[in-house]
Amino acid sequence: MGKKKPRPRRSFTREFKAEIVELCQRGDRSVGQVAKDFDLTETAVRDWIRQAEADIGRRDGLTSSEREELAALRRENRRLREDVDILKRATAFFAKETR
């Protein structure tokens, strides 16, 4: 019937997110109203507020820089695992060839 199409994933700059967080923390408007005014999801805005609070130490959790470092380390770990897998297969191949 009236199925909504999923909204395409959008990305926002740090500056924009900081501005939205500041608007919410001022207290003039509710989180829901700010989200509606800027065509954002309330969940995304609440996540940005939560992350901003973690960044300044007001809330437990990883800071933005820690999250970026963790993501980079996970990418590197995945690449290294792939490299090890390739080397294992190459070793097995050459061990078979030399017999």
Side-chain angles (χ1 to χ4, degrees):
M1 208 197 254
K3 271 194 169 183
K4 279 187 169 181
K5 276 195 223 175
R7 172 184 271 184
R9 190 162 186 91
R10 300 180 293 171
S11 61
F12 303 96
T13 64
R14 287 181 184 181
E15 294 79 17
F16 178 78
K17 291 177 183 180
E19 213 174 292
I20 296 298
V21 168
E22 187 181 325
L23 281 173
C24 292
Q25 290 175 338
R26 258 193 240 147
D28 302 343
R29 296 183 274 181
S30 69
V31 172
Q33 187 60 50
V34 171
K36 187 176 178 183
D37 291 348
F38 288 89
D39 190 30
L40 303 166
T41 64
E42 206 170 318
T43 304
V45 174
R46 289 189 192 283
D47 286 346
W48 297 348
I49 293 169
R50 205 172 295 119
Q51 186 60 56
E53 289 174 348
D55 287 348
I56 61 173
R58 211 184 302 162
R59 178 185 285 267
D60 285 342
L62 297 176
T63 64
S64 294
S65 60
E66 290 170 332
R67 284 183 186 280
E68 289 171 10
E69 181 181 10
L70 180 60
L73 289 170
R74 284 181 173 161
R75 278 192 302 274
E76 181 182 9
N77 194 358
R78 184 172 42 251
R79 186 185 55 77
L80 291 171
R81 285 178 192 268
E82 290 170 359
D83 291 352
V84 167
D85 187 48
I86 289 168
L87 291 172
K88 282 181 182 177
R89 283 189 267 141
T91 302
F93 175 78
F94 287 117
K96 221 168 38 171
E97 289 288 313
T98 57
R99 290 183 193 171

